[in-house]
C-alpha cells in the first residue's frame, strides 16, 4: 500500500520496540524528488493514504524518510540492518526524523 503512493519510491516495514505495545510497525521510506521539502507534509499524506486502504491494526505507526535503503548484492532490502538501526535508535532515545501517527 505504501508503494502505491505517488511520493514513494521504495519502502520497508519493520517492528519498532514500543513500551506500551511491545512493537509497532515502522516504515523506512525513500521519497521521489517531487516530494514536499517538509517531511511532515509527506508523512501526513502517506499516513492518510494508508488509513484509507488498510484496517487499523495494519497501520504503520512511525515513518522515517531515508535517501536509500540498505540492500544485498542481489538487490533485496536488508531488513536485519534496519532492525538493528532501529534498536540502537530506541536505546539511545533519539527521536529526530521520526514522524508518528498519533492514535
Amino acid at each position: 500500500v505504501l508503494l502505491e503512493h505517488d511520493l514513494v519510491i521504495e519502502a520497508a516495514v519493520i517492528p519498532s520496540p514500543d513500551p506500551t505495545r511491545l512493537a509497532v510497525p515502522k516504515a523506512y521510506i525513500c521519497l521521489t524528488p517531487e516530494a514536499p521539502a517538509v517531511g511532515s507534509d509527506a508523512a501526513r499524506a502517506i499516513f492518510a493514504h494508508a488509513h484509507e486502504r488498510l484496517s487499523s491494526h495494519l497501520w504503520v505507526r512511525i515513518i522515517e524518510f531515508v535517501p536509500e535503503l540498505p540492500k544485498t548484492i542481489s538487490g533485496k532490502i536488508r531488513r536485519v540492518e534496519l532492525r538493528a538501526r532501529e534498536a540502537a535508535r530506541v536505546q539511545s532515545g533519539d527521536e529526530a526524523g521520526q514522524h508518528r501517527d498519533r492514535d
Side-chain angles (χ1 to χ4, degrees), residues 50-65:
H51 289 188
E52 292 172 2
R53 290 164 176 76
L54 294 172
S55 298
S56 61
H57 70 280
L58 295 174
W59 289 349
V60 170
R61 304 293 178 172
I62 307 170
I63 290 177
E64 183 176 337
F65 297 116

Side-chain angles (χ1 to χ4, degrees), residues 18-89:
D18 184 73
T20 306
R21 298 179 177 147
L22 298 180
V24 294
K26 176 180 179 174
Y28 285 92
I29 296 178
C30 296
L31 294 175
T32 62
E34 297 84 31
V38 179
S40 59
D41 292 340
R44 277 194 292 274
I46 293 168
F47 281 131
H49 175 80
H51 289 188
E52 292 172 2
R53 290 164 176 76
L54 294 172
S55 298
S56 61
H57 70 280
L58 295 174
W59 289 349
V60 170
R61 304 293 178 172
I62 307 170
I63 290 177
E64 183 176 337
F65 297 116
V66 293
E68 65 181 10
L69 295 170
K71 296 190 178 154
T72 64
I73 293 172
S74 63
K76 294 181 180 180
I77 296 171
R78 289 186 39 86
R79 285 180 174 78
V80 67
E81 190 173 319
L82 294 174
R83 285 191 296 270
R85 184 188 307 178
E86 181 63 9
R89 184 199 66 80

